[in-house]
Amino acid sequence: MSIDDVILSRRLAVMGGTFDPIHYAHLLIAEDVRRHFKLPQILFMPSGSPPHKKDYEVTSAEDRYIMAVLATSGNPHFAVSRLELDRPGPSYTIETIRQLKAKIGDEAQVSWVTGADAVLEMLTWHQPDAILNEAQILAVPRPGFDLSRLDETLGAERASKVTIIDAPLAEISSTMIRERVRAGESIRYLTPRAVIDYIEKRRLYVDEAHEVMVGETG
Ligand code: ATP
Ligand code: MG
């Protein structure tokens, strides 16, 4: 699916994230949302310098981008954007939404897909009200996060602007994958084979000296 198809349909759904690394829950959610709304494309948007994640050292933007490309390459409806990676400074969602609209046309509808954990924290995002006014927020459930608390955390008016999607649940996180790799445990079936191979090749998530073999067992 090319950018021309997206421009024609004027509907674009974006799946934002750190993707450190991308995993099957990200892919499952994206595909479900795409099918649900019959969208021509889901654009994965790895964040450049994530304003929210400072409690651990985030893998280089290039490695996270390459893993996202590897994971999505088999799906003609998935694409990965470099917009936030190539933009200097913190990756603010509102800026990305505005940049995308400028590219596709002002009447474009941008949907932003978020998991329950992310949407429940939306008030900590930069300019949440502008985001809610300029994009459609699609919230998907995530094990351990209660979307019925949206009213309470965002306020009823903001919560009413969020569309909740019923997607399959998968208890996978990038944190879990990083921890397993660090512990030398298998990450098989948590993320596509090509991503596992890349993690091993680049020795991500372990100390330099350590050999990474996380795809063969388990
Ligand atoms: P980390 O553990 O490093 O925070 P993560 O698994 O949460 O990683 P992110 O890159 O932070 O992945 O998330 C990108 C988007 O995908 C967010 O909107 C997040 O809520 C959503 N997401 C990630 N994993 C799941 C999951 N298992 N179920 C539902 N949503 C998810
Ligand atoms: Mg997360």
PDB file of all heavy atoms in Angstrom, residues 12 14-17 43-48 51 81-85 87 89-104 110-112 126 131 134-135:
ATOM      1  N   LEU A  12      -5.584   7.721   7.942  1.00  0.00           N
ATOM      2  CA  LEU A  12      -4.291   7.148   8.286  1.00  0.00           C
ATOM      3  C   LEU A  12      -4.297   6.774   9.762  1.00  0.00           C
ATOM      4  O   LEU A  12      -4.683   7.575  10.613  1.00  0.00           O
ATOM      5  CB  LEU A  12      -3.187   8.177   8.017  1.00  0.00           C
ATOM      6  CG  LEU A  12      -1.774   7.737   8.418  1.00  0.00           C
ATOM      7  CD1 LEU A  12      -1.321   6.544   7.594  1.00  0.00           C
ATOM      8  CD2 LEU A  12      -0.802   8.890   8.233  1.00  0.00           C
ATOM      9  N   VAL A  14      -1.951   5.532  12.927  1.00  0.00           N
ATOM     10  CA  VAL A  14      -0.564   5.501  13.365  1.00  0.00           C
ATOM     11  C   VAL A  14      -0.469   4.707  14.659  1.00  0.00           C
ATOM     12  O   VAL A  14      -1.298   4.859  15.554  1.00  0.00           O
ATOM     13  CB  VAL A  14      -0.046   6.942  13.619  1.00  0.00           C
ATOM     14  CG1 VAL A  14       1.419   6.909  14.047  1.00  0.00           C
ATOM     15  CG2 VAL A  14      -0.226   7.804  12.385  1.00  0.00           C
ATOM     16  N   MET A  15       0.522   3.842  14.712  1.00  0.00           N
ATOM     17  CA  MET A  15       0.803   3.102  15.945  1.00  0.00           C
ATOM     18  C   MET A  15       2.135   3.638  16.460  1.00  0.00           C
ATOM     19  O   MET A  15       3.185   3.335  15.903  1.00  0.00           O
ATOM     20  CB  MET A  15       0.888   1.612  15.560  1.00  0.00           C
ATOM     21  CG  MET A  15       1.337   0.703  16.639  1.00  0.00           C
ATOM     22  SD  MET A  15      -0.087  -0.057  17.420  1.00  0.00           S
ATOM     23  CE  MET A  15       0.666  -0.622  18.920  1.00  0.00           C
ATOM     24  N   GLY A  16       2.050   4.476  17.471  1.00  0.00           N
ATOM     25  CA  GLY A  16       3.270   5.072  18.015  1.00  0.00           C
ATOM     26  C   GLY A  16       3.856   4.199  19.109  1.00  0.00           C
ATOM     27  O   GLY A  16       3.143   3.435  19.751  1.00  0.00           O
ATOM     28  N   GLY A  17       5.156   4.288  19.294  1.00  0.00           N
ATOM     29  CA  GLY A  17       5.762   3.526  20.381  1.00  0.00           C
ATOM     30  C   GLY A  17       7.268   3.666  20.408  1.00  0.00           C
ATOM     31  O   GLY A  17       7.861   4.218  19.476  1.00  0.00           O
ATOM     32  N   LEU A  43       0.624   2.882  10.016  1.00  0.00           N
ATOM     33  CA  LEU A  43       1.978   3.427   9.992  1.00  0.00           C
ATOM     34  C   LEU A  43       2.595   3.293  11.390  1.00  0.00           C
ATOM     35  O   LEU A  43       2.105   3.904  12.343  1.00  0.00           O
ATOM     36  CB  LEU A  43       1.886   4.907   9.593  1.00  0.00           C
ATOM     37  CG  LEU A  43       3.160   5.612   9.163  1.00  0.00           C
ATOM     38  CD1 LEU A  43       3.790   4.911   7.968  1.00  0.00           C
ATOM     39  CD2 LEU A  43       2.836   7.064   8.809  1.00  0.00           C
ATOM     40  N   PHE A  44       3.618   2.486  11.496  1.00  0.00           N
ATOM     41  CA  PHE A  44       4.323   2.353  12.772  1.00  0.00           C
ATOM     42  C   PHE A  44       5.271   3.542  12.914  1.00  0.00           C
ATOM     43  O   PHE A  44       5.992   3.864  11.964  1.00  0.00           O
ATOM     44  CB  PHE A  44       5.099   1.023  12.824  1.00  0.00           C
ATOM     45  CG  PHE A  44       4.208  -0.169  12.994  1.00  0.00           C
ATOM     46  CD1 PHE A  44       3.469  -0.656  11.925  1.00  0.00           C
ATOM     47  CD2 PHE A  44       4.090  -0.809  14.216  1.00  0.00           C
ATOM     48  CE1 PHE A  44       2.618  -1.753  12.082  1.00  0.00           C
ATOM     49  CE2 PHE A  44       3.250  -1.898  14.384  1.00  0.00           C
ATOM     50  CZ  PHE A  44       2.517  -2.375  13.314  1.00  0.00           C
ATOM     51  N   MET A  45       5.232   4.144  14.066  1.00  0.00           N
ATOM     52  CA  MET A  45       5.975   5.391  14.268  1.00  0.00           C
ATOM     53  C   MET A  45       6.914   5.255  15.473  1.00  0.00           C
ATOM     54  O   MET A  45       6.539   5.591  16.598  1.00  0.00           O
ATOM     55  CB  MET A  45       4.952   6.514  14.505  1.00  0.00           C
ATOM     56  CG  MET A  45       5.501   7.911  14.628  1.00  0.00           C
ATOM     57  SD  MET A  45       6.144   8.577  13.094  1.00  0.00           S
ATOM     58  CE  MET A  45       4.674   8.716  12.087  1.00  0.00           C
ATOM     59  N   PRO A  46       8.120   4.721  15.265  1.00  0.00           N
ATOM     60  CA  PRO A  46       9.053   4.642  16.399  1.00  0.00           C
ATOM     61  C   PRO A  46       9.440   6.054  16.850  1.00  0.00           C
ATOM     62  O   PRO A  46       9.717   6.920  16.023  1.00  0.00           O
ATOM     63  CB  PRO A  46      10.271   3.900  15.816  1.00  0.00           C
ATOM     64  CG  PRO A  46       9.853   3.376  14.483  1.00  0.00           C
ATOM     65  CD  PRO A  46       8.701   4.217  14.015  1.00  0.00           C
ATOM     66  N   SER A  47       9.418   6.260  18.163  1.00  0.00           N
ATOM     67  CA  SER A  47       9.750   7.594  18.671  1.00  0.00           C
ATOM     68  C   SER A  47      11.252   7.805  18.627  1.00  0.00           C
ATOM     69  O   SER A  47      12.033   6.873  18.828  1.00  0.00           O
ATOM     70  CB  SER A  47       9.229   7.757  20.089  1.00  0.00           C
ATOM     71  OG  SER A  47       9.703   6.692  20.864  1.00  0.00           O
ATOM     72  N   GLY A  48      11.633   9.018  18.353  1.00  0.00           N
ATOM     73  CA  GLY A  48      13.057   9.346  18.276  1.00  0.00           C
ATOM     74  C   GLY A  48      13.650   9.391  19.662  1.00  0.00           C
ATOM     75  O   GLY A  48      14.266   8.451  20.151  1.00  0.00           O
ATOM     76  N   PRO A  51      10.025  11.193  25.146  1.00  0.00           N
ATOM     77  CA  PRO A  51       9.944  12.056  26.327  1.00  0.00           C
ATOM     78  C   PRO A  51       9.537  11.299  27.589  1.00  0.00           C
ATOM     79  O   PRO A  51       9.813  11.754  28.686  1.00  0.00           O
ATOM     80  CB  PRO A  51       8.902  13.111  25.960  1.00  0.00           C
ATOM     81  CG  PRO A  51       8.293  12.709  24.665  1.00  0.00           C
ATOM     82  CD  PRO A  51       9.018  11.510  24.136  1.00  0.00           C
ATOM     83  N   SER A  81       7.475   4.594   9.680  1.00  0.00           N
ATOM     84  CA  SER A  81       7.827   5.982   9.361  1.00  0.00           C
ATOM     85  C   SER A  81       9.097   6.403  10.090  1.00  0.00           C
ATOM     86  O   SER A  81       9.328   6.006  11.230  1.00  0.00           O
ATOM     87  CB  SER A  81       6.677   6.896   9.776  1.00  0.00           C
ATOM     88  OG  SER A  81       7.073   8.245   9.652  1.00  0.00           O
ATOM     89  N   ARG A  82       9.869   7.249   9.440  1.00  0.00           N
ATOM     90  CA  ARG A  82      11.080   7.808  10.063  1.00  0.00           C
ATOM     91  C   ARG A  82      10.834   9.219  10.581  1.00  0.00           C
ATOM     92  O   ARG A  82      11.770   9.896  11.037  1.00  0.00           O
ATOM     93  CB  ARG A  82      12.217   7.853   9.042  1.00  0.00           C
ATOM     94  CG  ARG A  82      12.731   6.508   8.583  1.00  0.00           C
ATOM     95  CD  ARG A  82      14.036   6.682   7.809  1.00  0.00           C
ATOM     96  NE  ARG A  82      15.053   7.329   8.624  1.00  0.00           N
ATOM     97  CZ  ARG A  82      15.930   6.667   9.386  1.00  0.00           C
ATOM     98  NH1 ARG A  82      15.943   5.372   9.386  1.00  0.00           N
ATOM     99  NH2 ARG A  82      16.803   7.335  10.124  1.00  0.00           N
ATOM    100  N   LEU A  83       9.590   9.656  10.504  1.00  0.00           N
ATOM    101  CA  LEU A  83       9.260  11.054  10.834  1.00  0.00           C
ATOM    102  C   LEU A  83       9.812  11.489  12.193  1.00  0.00           C
ATOM    103  O   LEU A  83      10.483  12.513  12.309  1.00  0.00           O
ATOM    104  CB  LEU A  83       7.745  11.209  10.806  1.00  0.00           C
ATOM    105  CG  LEU A  83       7.183  12.594  10.546  1.00  0.00           C
ATOM    106  CD1 LEU A  83       7.562  13.072   9.158  1.00  0.00           C
ATOM    107  CD2 LEU A  83       5.658  12.559  10.669  1.00  0.00           C
ATOM    108  N   GLU A  84       9.548  10.709  13.231  1.00  0.00           N
ATOM    109  CA  GLU A  84       9.994  11.111  14.578  1.00  0.00           C
ATOM    110  C   GLU A  84      11.491  10.862  14.763  1.00  0.00           C
ATOM    111  O   GLU A  84      12.149  11.571  15.508  1.00  0.00           O
ATOM    112  CB  GLU A  84       9.169  10.383  15.656  1.00  0.00           C
ATOM    113  CG  GLU A  84       7.718  10.836  15.680  1.00  0.00           C
ATOM    114  CD  GLU A  84       6.937  10.385  16.913  1.00  0.00           C
ATOM    115  OE1 GLU A  84       7.460   9.582  17.712  1.00  0.00           O
ATOM    116  OE2 GLU A  84       5.787  10.846  17.066  1.00  0.00           O
ATOM    117  N   LEU A  85      12.010   9.840  14.073  1.00  0.00           N
ATOM    118  CA  LEU A  85      13.439   9.527  14.214  1.00  0.00           C
ATOM    119  C   LEU A  85      14.299  10.641  13.633  1.00  0.00           C
ATOM    120  O   LEU A  85      15.370  10.954  14.150  1.00  0.00           O
ATOM    121  CB  LEU A  85      13.776   8.234  13.468  1.00  0.00           C
ATOM    122  CG  LEU A  85      13.024   6.981  13.871  1.00  0.00           C
ATOM    123  CD1 LEU A  85      13.461   5.813  13.014  1.00  0.00           C
ATOM    124  CD2 LEU A  85      13.283   6.669  15.339  1.00  0.00           C
ATOM    125  N   ARG A  87      13.409  13.758  13.255  1.00  0.00           N
ATOM    126  CA  ARG A  87      13.083  15.092  13.771  1.00  0.00           C
ATOM    127  C   ARG A  87      13.874  15.329  15.051  1.00  0.00           C
ATOM    128  O   ARG A  87      13.806  14.515  15.972  1.00  0.00           O
ATOM    129  CB  ARG A  87      11.576  15.155  14.059  1.00  0.00           C
ATOM    130  CG  ARG A  87      11.059  16.550  14.279  1.00  0.00           C
ATOM    131  CD  ARG A  87       9.546  16.559  14.363  1.00  0.00           C
ATOM    132  NE  ARG A  87       9.043  15.860  15.545  1.00  0.00           N
ATOM    133  CZ  ARG A  87       7.885  15.221  15.606  1.00  0.00           C
ATOM    134  NH1 ARG A  87       7.102  15.169  14.544  1.00  0.00           N
ATOM    135  NH2 ARG A  87       7.489  14.632  16.715  1.00  0.00           N
ATOM    136  N   GLY A  89      15.037  16.689  18.720  1.00  0.00           N
ATOM    137  CA  GLY A  89      14.303  17.030  19.943  1.00  0.00           C
ATOM    138  C   GLY A  89      13.360  15.937  20.355  1.00  0.00           C
ATOM    139  O   GLY A  89      13.286  14.888  19.714  1.00  0.00           O
ATOM    140  N   PRO A  90      12.623  16.158  21.450  1.00  0.00           N
ATOM    141  CA  PRO A  90      11.702  15.128  21.948  1.00  0.00           C
ATOM    142  C   PRO A  90      10.589  14.848  20.940  1.00  0.00           C
ATOM    143  O   PRO A  90      10.206  15.728  20.183  1.00  0.00           O
ATOM    144  CB  PRO A  90      11.119  15.748  23.233  1.00  0.00           C
ATOM    145  CG  PRO A  90      11.720  17.081  23.395  1.00  0.00           C
ATOM    146  CD  PRO A  90      12.570  17.400  22.219  1.00  0.00           C
ATOM    147  N   SER A  91      10.103  13.595  20.947  1.00  0.00           N
ATOM    148  CA  SER A  91       9.069  13.200  19.989  1.00  0.00           C
ATOM    149  C   SER A  91       7.689  13.521  20.547  1.00  0.00           C
ATOM    150  O   SER A  91       7.121  12.716  21.260  1.00  0.00           O
ATOM    151  CB  SER A  91       9.158  11.698  19.718  1.00  0.00           C
ATOM    152  OG  SER A  91      10.341  11.388  19.046  1.00  0.00           O
ATOM    153  N   TYR A  92       7.176  14.681  20.215  1.00  0.00           N
ATOM    154  CA  TYR A  92       5.838  15.011  20.675  1.00  0.00           C
ATOM    155  C   TYR A  92       4.801  14.553  19.646  1.00  0.00           C
ATOM    156  O   TYR A  92       4.885  14.910  18.464  1.00  0.00           O
ATOM    157  CB  TYR A  92       5.701  16.514  20.931  1.00  0.00           C
ATOM    158  CG  TYR A  92       6.505  16.980  22.121  1.00  0.00           C
ATOM    159  CD1 TYR A  92       7.392  18.044  22.020  1.00  0.00           C
ATOM    160  CD2 TYR A  92       6.369  16.349  23.362  1.00  0.00           C
ATOM    161  CE1 TYR A  92       8.126  18.474  23.121  1.00  0.00           C
ATOM    162  CE2 TYR A  92       7.100  16.776  24.467  1.00  0.00           C
ATOM    163  CZ  TYR A  92       7.974  17.831  24.338  1.00  0.00           C
ATOM    164  OH  TYR A  92       8.697  18.249  25.418  1.00  0.00           O
ATOM    165  N   THR A  93       3.826  13.799  20.143  1.00  0.00           N
ATOM    166  CA  THR A  93       2.787  13.240  19.274  1.00  0.00           C
ATOM    167  C   THR A  93       2.048  14.330  18.502  1.00  0.00           C
ATOM    168  O   THR A  93       1.760  14.159  17.318  1.00  0.00           O
ATOM    169  CB  THR A  93       1.798  12.431  20.150  1.00  0.00           C
ATOM    170  OG1 THR A  93       2.554  11.419  20.812  1.00  0.00           O
ATOM    171  CG2 THR A  93       0.704  11.802  19.338  1.00  0.00           C
ATOM    172  N   ILE A  94       1.758  15.444  19.169  1.00  0.00           N
ATOM    173  CA  ILE A  94       0.985  16.500  18.491  1.00  0.00           C
ATOM    174  C   ILE A  94       1.725  17.024  17.263  1.00  0.00           C
ATOM    175  O   ILE A  94       1.131  17.288  16.220  1.00  0.00           O
ATOM    176  CB  ILE A  94       0.595  17.649  19.467  1.00  0.00           C
ATOM    177  CG1 ILE A  94      -0.347  18.651  18.809  1.00  0.00           C
ATOM    178  CG2 ILE A  94       1.806  18.355  20.056  1.00  0.00           C
ATOM    179  CD1 ILE A  94      -1.711  18.110  18.446  1.00  0.00           C
ATOM    180  N   GLU A  95       3.040  17.127  17.377  1.00  0.00           N
ATOM    181  CA  GLU A  95       3.823  17.605  16.220  1.00  0.00           C
ATOM    182  C   GLU A  95       3.754  16.610  15.076  1.00  0.00           C
ATOM    183  O   GLU A  95       3.675  16.991  13.906  1.00  0.00           O
ATOM    184  CB  GLU A  95       5.293  17.789  16.610  1.00  0.00           C
ATOM    185  CG  GLU A  95       5.547  19.041  17.401  1.00  0.00           C
ATOM    186  CD  GLU A  95       7.025  19.169  17.758  1.00  0.00           C
ATOM    187  OE1 GLU A  95       7.876  18.728  16.960  1.00  0.00           O
ATOM    188  OE2 GLU A  95       7.311  19.684  18.854  1.00  0.00           O
ATOM    189  N   THR A  96       3.803  15.328  15.417  1.00  0.00           N
ATOM    190  CA  THR A  96       3.740  14.281  14.395  1.00  0.00           C
ATOM    191  C   THR A  96       2.386  14.314  13.689  1.00  0.00           C
ATOM    192  O   THR A  96       2.305  14.225  12.469  1.00  0.00           O
ATOM    193  CB  THR A  96       3.966  12.906  15.049  1.00  0.00           C
ATOM    194  OG1 THR A  96       5.173  12.971  15.787  1.00  0.00           O
ATOM    195  CG2 THR A  96       4.048  11.796  14.023  1.00  0.00           C
ATOM    196  N   ILE A  97       1.312  14.454  14.478  1.00  0.00           N
ATOM    197  CA  ILE A  97      -0.035  14.516  13.899  1.00  0.00           C
ATOM    198  C   ILE A  97      -0.123  15.687  12.918  1.00  0.00           C
ATOM    199  O   ILE A  97      -0.621  15.552  11.804  1.00  0.00           O
ATOM    200  CB  ILE A  97      -1.094  14.638  15.026  1.00  0.00           C
ATOM    201  CG1 ILE A  97      -1.161  13.327  15.824  1.00  0.00           C
ATOM    202  CG2 ILE A  97      -2.464  15.011  14.470  1.00  0.00           C
ATOM    203  CD1 ILE A  97      -1.871  13.441  17.160  1.00  0.00           C
ATOM    204  N   ARG A  98       0.418  16.829  13.333  1.00  0.00           N
ATOM    205  CA  ARG A  98       0.340  18.020  12.462  1.00  0.00           C
ATOM    206  C   ARG A  98       1.189  17.848  11.206  1.00  0.00           C
ATOM    207  O   ARG A  98       0.777  18.242  10.109  1.00  0.00           O
ATOM    208  CB  ARG A  98       0.750  19.267  13.237  1.00  0.00           C
ATOM    209  CG  ARG A  98      -0.340  19.657  14.228  1.00  0.00           C
ATOM    210  CD  ARG A  98       0.014  20.850  15.073  1.00  0.00           C
ATOM    211  NE  ARG A  98      -1.086  21.139  15.996  1.00  0.00           N
ATOM    212  CZ  ARG A  98      -0.947  21.799  17.132  1.00  0.00           C
ATOM    213  NH1 ARG A  98       0.237  22.250  17.513  1.00  0.00           N
ATOM    214  NH2 ARG A  98      -1.997  22.009  17.893  1.00  0.00           N
ATOM    215  N   GLN A  99       2.353  17.224  11.370  1.00  0.00           N
ATOM    216  CA  GLN A  99       3.215  16.989  10.198  1.00  0.00           C
ATOM    217  C   GLN A  99       2.538  16.048   9.203  1.00  0.00           C
ATOM    218  O   GLN A  99       2.599  16.258   7.994  1.00  0.00           O
ATOM    219  CB  GLN A  99       4.543  16.377  10.639  1.00  0.00           C
ATOM    220  CG  GLN A  99       5.662  17.397  10.794  1.00  0.00           C
ATOM    221  CD  GLN A  99       6.979  16.709  11.114  1.00  0.00           C
ATOM    222  OE1 GLN A  99       7.138  16.131  12.171  1.00  0.00           O
ATOM    223  NE2 GLN A  99       7.926  16.772  10.186  1.00  0.00           N
ATOM    224  N   LEU A 100       1.891  15.005   9.745  1.00  0.00           N
ATOM    225  CA  LEU A 100       1.214  14.036   8.867  1.00  0.00           C
ATOM    226  C   LEU A 100       0.059  14.699   8.134  1.00  0.00           C
ATOM    227  O   LEU A 100      -0.143  14.489   6.935  1.00  0.00           O
ATOM    228  CB  LEU A 100       0.699  12.846   9.683  1.00  0.00           C
ATOM    229  CG  LEU A 100       1.764  11.881  10.199  1.00  0.00           C
ATOM    230  CD1 LEU A 100       1.155  10.895  11.189  1.00  0.00           C
ATOM    231  CD2 LEU A 100       2.424  11.122   9.050  1.00  0.00           C
ATOM    232  N   LYS A 101      -0.693  15.535   8.860  1.00  0.00           N
ATOM    233  CA  LYS A 101      -1.835  16.204   8.219  1.00  0.00           C
ATOM    234  C   LYS A 101      -1.355  17.167   7.140  1.00  0.00           C
ATOM    235  O   LYS A 101      -1.978  17.289   6.083  1.00  0.00           O
ATOM    236  CB  LYS A 101      -2.657  16.954   9.262  1.00  0.00           C
ATOM    237  CG  LYS A 101      -3.496  16.020  10.098  1.00  0.00           C
ATOM    238  CD  LYS A 101      -4.457  16.803  10.949  1.00  0.00           C
ATOM    239  CE  LYS A 101      -5.609  15.923  11.359  1.00  0.00           C
ATOM    240  NZ  LYS A 101      -6.618  16.654  12.126  1.00  0.00           N
ATOM    241  N   ALA A 102      -0.234  17.828   7.402  1.00  0.00           N
ATOM    242  CA  ALA A 102       0.307  18.753   6.407  1.00  0.00           C
ATOM    243  C   ALA A 102       0.679  17.988   5.139  1.00  0.00           C
ATOM    244  O   ALA A 102       0.544  18.488   4.028  1.00  0.00           O
ATOM    245  CB  ALA A 102       1.515  19.483   6.982  1.00  0.00           C
ATOM    246  N   LYS A 103       1.139  16.748   5.327  1.00  0.00           N
ATOM    247  CA  LYS A 103       1.566  15.947   4.189  1.00  0.00           C
ATOM    248  C   LYS A 103       0.365  15.371   3.417  1.00  0.00           C
ATOM    249  O   LYS A 103       0.333  15.380   2.193  1.00  0.00           O
ATOM    250  CB  LYS A 103       2.428  14.786   4.719  1.00  0.00           C
ATOM    251  CG  LYS A 103       3.409  14.245   3.709  1.00  0.00           C
ATOM    252  CD  LYS A 103       4.305  13.191   4.316  1.00  0.00           C
ATOM    253  CE  LYS A 103       5.553  13.803   4.932  1.00  0.00           C
ATOM    254  NZ  LYS A 103       6.519  12.806   5.390  1.00  0.00           N
ATOM    255  N   ILE A 104      -0.615  14.873   4.157  1.00  0.00           N
ATOM    256  CA  ILE A 104      -1.731  14.172   3.501  1.00  0.00           C
ATOM    257  C   ILE A 104      -2.826  15.143   3.063  1.00  0.00           C
ATOM    258  O   ILE A 104      -3.593  14.870   2.166  1.00  0.00           O
ATOM    259  CB  ILE A 104      -2.330  13.094   4.440  1.00  0.00           C
ATOM    260  CG1 ILE A 104      -1.245  12.139   4.924  1.00  0.00           C
ATOM    261  CG2 ILE A 104      -3.402  12.285   3.729  1.00  0.00           C
ATOM    262  CD1 ILE A 104      -1.720  11.184   5.986  1.00  0.00           C
ATOM    263  N   VAL A 110      -6.471  11.488  11.041  1.00  0.00           N
ATOM    264  CA  VAL A 110      -5.374  10.710  11.614  1.00  0.00           C
ATOM    265  C   VAL A 110      -5.895  10.019  12.870  1.00  0.00           C
ATOM    266  O   VAL A 110      -6.442  10.659  13.765  1.00  0.00           O
ATOM    267  CB  VAL A 110      -4.161  11.605  11.940  1.00  0.00           C
ATOM    268  CG1 VAL A 110      -3.100  10.814  12.708  1.00  0.00           C
ATOM    269  CG2 VAL A 110      -3.562  12.191  10.668  1.00  0.00           C
ATOM    270  N   SER A 111      -5.751   8.698  12.894  1.00  0.00           N
ATOM    271  CA  SER A 111      -6.100   7.936  14.103  1.00  0.00           C
ATOM    272  C   SER A 111      -4.807   7.520  14.778  1.00  0.00           C
ATOM    273  O   SER A 111      -3.864   7.095  14.105  1.00  0.00           O
ATOM    274  CB  SER A 111      -6.900   6.687  13.736  1.00  0.00           C
ATOM    275  OG  SER A 111      -8.068   7.058  13.062  1.00  0.00           O
ATOM    276  N   TRP A 112      -4.774   7.646  16.094  1.00  0.00           N
ATOM    277  CA  TRP A 112      -3.565   7.306  16.844  1.00  0.00           C
ATOM    278  C   TRP A 112      -3.902   6.130  17.750  1.00  0.00           C
ATOM    279  O   TRP A 112      -4.759   6.240  18.610  1.00  0.00           O
ATOM    280  CB  TRP A 112      -3.102   8.515  17.666  1.00  0.00           C
ATOM    281  CG  TRP A 112      -1.669   8.382  18.073  1.00  0.00           C
ATOM    282  CD1 TRP A 112      -1.200   7.745  19.184  1.00  0.00           C
ATOM    283  CD2 TRP A 112      -0.521   8.881  17.383  1.00  0.00           C
ATOM    284  NE1 TRP A 112       0.172   7.815  19.218  1.00  0.00           N
ATOM    285  CE2 TRP A 112       0.617   8.504  18.120  1.00  0.00           C
ATOM    286  CE3 TRP A 112      -0.351   9.611  16.191  1.00  0.00           C
ATOM    287  CZ2 TRP A 112       1.911   8.827  17.723  1.00  0.00           C
ATOM    288  CZ3 TRP A 112       0.937   9.940  15.803  1.00  0.00           C
ATOM    289  CH2 TRP A 112       2.044   9.544  16.567  1.00  0.00           C
ATOM    290  N   HIS A 126       2.345  15.764  25.980  1.00  0.00           N
ATOM    291  CA  HIS A 126       2.414  17.173  25.618  1.00  0.00           C
ATOM    292  C   HIS A 126       1.114  17.564  24.888  1.00  0.00           C
ATOM    293  O   HIS A 126       0.746  16.920  23.905  1.00  0.00           O
ATOM    294  CB  HIS A 126       3.632  17.353  24.707  1.00  0.00           C
ATOM    295  CG  HIS A 126       3.948  18.765  24.366  1.00  0.00           C
ATOM    296  ND1 HIS A 126       4.277  19.705  25.322  1.00  0.00           N
ATOM    297  CD2 HIS A 126       3.998  19.402  23.173  1.00  0.00           C
ATOM    298  CE1 HIS A 126       4.510  20.852  24.726  1.00  0.00           C
ATOM    299  NE2 HIS A 126       4.347  20.701  23.428  1.00  0.00           N
ATOM    300  N   ILE A 131      -4.213  17.088  20.963  1.00  0.00           N
ATOM    301  CA  ILE A 131      -4.176  15.748  20.352  1.00  0.00           C
ATOM    302  C   ILE A 131      -5.601  15.225  20.185  1.00  0.00           C
ATOM    303  O   ILE A 131      -5.993  14.748  19.116  1.00  0.00           O
ATOM    304  CB  ILE A 131      -3.337  14.763  21.195  1.00  0.00           C
ATOM    305  CG1 ILE A 131      -1.874  15.206  21.232  1.00  0.00           C
ATOM    306  CG2 ILE A 131      -3.458  13.330  20.657  1.00  0.00           C
ATOM    307  CD1 ILE A 131      -0.988  14.396  22.175  1.00  0.00           C
ATOM    308  N   GLU A 134      -7.362  17.041  17.377  1.00  0.00           N
ATOM    309  CA  GLU A 134      -6.821  16.953  16.012  1.00  0.00           C
ATOM    310  C   GLU A 134      -6.677  15.528  15.488  1.00  0.00           C
ATOM    311  O   GLU A 134      -6.410  15.321  14.314  1.00  0.00           O
ATOM    312  CB  GLU A 134      -5.485  17.703  15.936  1.00  0.00           C
ATOM    313  CG  GLU A 134      -5.693  19.196  16.165  1.00  0.00           C
ATOM    314  CD  GLU A 134      -4.407  19.997  16.202  1.00  0.00           C
ATOM    315  OE1 GLU A 134      -3.521  19.731  15.377  1.00  0.00           O
ATOM    316  OE2 GLU A 134      -4.308  20.893  17.070  1.00  0.00           O
ATOM    317  N   ALA A 135      -6.811  14.554  16.383  1.00  0.00           N
ATOM    318  CA  ALA A 135      -6.711  13.158  15.945  1.00  0.00           C
ATOM    319  C   ALA A 135      -7.766  12.327  16.663  1.00  0.00           C
ATOM    320  O   ALA A 135      -8.328  12.755  17.673  1.00  0.00           O
ATOM    321  CB  ALA A 135      -5.327  12.599  16.244  1.00  0.00           C
TER     322      ALA A 135
END
